[in-house]
Amino acid sequence: MIAETPVPVVDLARLERNLDRMAEYATRHRLTLRPHTKTHKSPRIAAEQIRRGAAGLTCATLLEAEVMAEVSDNLLLAYPPVGEAKLQRLLSLPETCQVTVALDSRDVADRLADAAARRDRPIGVLVELDLGMHRVGLPRIGEVVELARRISQRSPLVYRGIAFYPGHIRQPVSRQAEALHQLREGLRAAVEALDRVGLRPGIVSGGSTPTAWQSHETEDVTEIRPGTYVYNDRSTAQLGACDWSDCALTVLATVVSTAVAGQAVIDAGSKALGREPPEAGHEGYGALLDRPEVEVRRLSEEHGVLDLSRSDWRPVVGERVRVVPNHACVAVHLHETVHGLRGTRLETSWPVVARGRQPLRASVPVFG
Ligand SMILES: Cc1ncc(COP(=O)(O)O)c(C=O)c1O
């Protein structure tokens, strides 16, 4: 029995099904699965991903890497480690752990090489390409080749290949063909250019949840890094990359007011659900698992306003509801503990261990 709300709850059967399905997909298409742990931030779930065949894990923060090193000896930091403090944390990961970093600049590569040399520690590197996301990643093939060449000459860095993130592809799955075609062409051109100069990438790492099930159609890809698939969320369902019945994570909330006609207020606001936008053509910040037509229309920090206009359901104060958030990863990060339900029975709970970023030590300068 869960005493207080709002809290994130996971339907364990759905979680297990989501884990199985992605593991089977990767095996079927001979793709290395390196799930992104930013979604669950929890070694317990990471261990389940590894048990099902994941070859390693992806992390965005140093805290994620430190936590995940407990369960995996093969980590990718898919984020440029900038600054001495982050470099030292990276190099302090257990020696038994093979560490790879995705980066897109000579500057970060050189500093990483210097720091790694001082610790006499080999670090793998993937050169990050921009294939349309326009976030990180080199947009021009010439620059990719140049950086790959530099890394291959900068021991103890080990050039392992290339990485990209197709996060710009947010069309529904049925309408992704054109964007995936462009991605494929861009990737092909980069792989061929690297091949021509003797730097053929051993690893071509990409993948997101909305594009996950089409990964095998991009032939150059060797490794996929979906994260959201473990829990899924309203966005993933809106894009058709999962069914509504695959949404494993909800925020359990309680109706606290029905005073205003046409709406009900729950105790899950932006600090429990996140204020993440819905996908194009949709509204609201989440929807009820059992009544998806009831959307969270407005949010304050501790209040979520449910729009009842498309439903004849009339809740009473004290009634509990399960809200599927727009973005599971952000919702999870807002909570300390996640509860696992088997049917309606509380079976287990686990902490969101890699939540936050670890406190800065007083001796470390904050800027500079
Ligand atoms: C670099 C990188 N790889 C993989 C992922 C996983 O994508 P998704 O959340 O769609 O599963 C993300 C998500 O933010 C990412 O930033």
Side-chain angles (χ1 to χ4, degrees):
M1 173 68 184
I2 294 171
E4 254 189 66
T5 62
V7 282
V9 296
V10 166
D11 182 311
L12 294 169
R14 290 183 185 197
L15 167 66
E16 288 155 10
R17 202 172 64 206
N18 294 342
L19 290 167
D20 286 342
R21 200 181 282 156
M22 190 62 78
E24 281 158 19
Y25 171 81
T27 306
R28 187 163 67 250
H29 295 289
R30 295 200 180 86
L31 288 162
T32 302
L33 178 59
R34 184 187 288 281
H36 206 311
T37 55
K38 51 117 198 181
T39 302
H40 52 73
K41 288 181 178 267
S42 149
R44 199 197 287 192
I45 296 185
E48 287 298 311
Q49 291 173 311
I50 290 164
R51 200 168 65 75
R52 287 167 169 82
L57 301 170
T58 304
C59 304
T61 70
L62 271 305
L63 181 55
E64 285 170 10
E66 288 157 355
V67 167
M68 298 308 160
E70 288 168 25
V71 291
S72 174
D73 57 7
N74 193 328
L75 298 181
L76 168 65
L77 184 74
Y79 200 96
V82 174
E84 198 50 31
K86 285 182 179 165
L87 286 174
Q88 291 312 321
R89 283 175 76 177
L90 182 77
L91 293 164
S92 302
L93 290 169
E95 290 285 342
T96 47
C97 187
Q98 179 178 305
V99 176
T100 302
V101 175
L103 52 81
D104 66 0
S105 73
R106 193 175 151 151
D107 195 44
V108 174
D110 286 352
R111 282 165 201 266
L112 177 60
D114 291 344
R118 284 196 295 276
R119 302 277 284 259
D120 194 22
R121 175 160 191 176
I123 297 287
V125 175
L126 300 180
V127 176
E128 181 96 33
L129 272 66
D130 176 20
L131 292 177
M133 175 70 177
H134 305 324
R135 188 174 68 177
V136 293
L138 291 165
R140 277 181 287 277
I141 289 177
E143 297 169 320
V144 172
V145 173
E146 199 185 306
L147 186 56
R149 188 179 285 124
R150 188 173 182 88
I151 287 158
S152 68
Q153 295 163 352
R154 279 296 251 132
S155 169
L157 300 189
V158 182
Y159 166 68
R160 292 203 208 281
I162 55 178
F164 67 96
Y165 172 54
H168 59 294
I169 303 183
R170 295 212 74 92
Q171 296 90 325
V173 171
S174 57
R175 284 192 264 128
Q176 290 177 356
E178 177 53 33
L180 286 172
H181 174 72
Q182 280 179 19
L183 184 102
R184 214 169 286 138
E185 302 275 290
L187 199 55
R188 189 87 280 265
V191 170
E192 281 175 0
L194 288 161
D195 198 17
R196 275 198 297 275
V197 297
L199 292 167
R200 189 175 183 79
I203 297 175
V204 178
S205 176
S208 64
T209 294
T211 62
W213 310 106
Q214 287 86 263
S215 302
H216 63 287
E217 293 168 10
T218 303
E219 283 155 26
D220 287 306
V221 166
T222 65
E223 168 178 297
I224 55 172
R225 308 186 308 265
T228 306
Y229 78 96
V230 289
Y231 291 149
N232 289 315
D233 53 23
R234 188 164 174 251
S235 275
T236 311
Q238 283 167 347
L239 296 178
C242 75
D243 286 334
W244 191 249
S245 59
D246 298 322
C247 290
L249 179 120
T250 54
V251 174
L252 182 69
T254 303
V255 174
V256 294
S257 171
T258 56
V260 177
Q263 68 179 44
V265 179
I266 54 173
D267 58 358
S270 61
K271 285 182 172 168
L273 291 172
R275 191 181 284 281
E276 295 284 287
E279 294 301 327
H282 297 272
E283 284 188 87
Y285 300 100
L288 299 193
L289 182 69
D290 301 327
R291 298 183 174 81
E293 70 283 5
V294 177
E295 294 173 354
V296 182
R297 255 323 146 81
R298 281 190 292 133
L299 287 175
S300 306
E301 289 175 50
E302 301 292 351
H303 302 76
V305 179
L306 301 180
D307 175 6
L308 302 181
S309 64
R310 285 191 275 142
S311 169
D312 53 15
W313 172 63
R314 291 293 169 263
V316 293
V317 168
E319 201 166 333
R320 284 186 168 185
V321 294
R322 284 188 288 175
V323 182
V324 180
N326 282 352
H327 191 174
C329 316
V330 171
V332 167
H333 190 250
L334 295 168
H335 300 268
E336 279 121 26
T337 307
V338 174
H339 300 288
L341 299 187
R342 186 76 57 191
T344 53
R345 192 175 56 81
L346 177 62
E347 183 175 294
T348 179
S349 302
W350 61 89
V352 185
V353 183
R355 175 175 189 250
R357 289 185 164 74
Q358 178 170 304
L360 284 169
R361 275 169 287 129
S363 58
V364 178
V366 179
F367 300 106

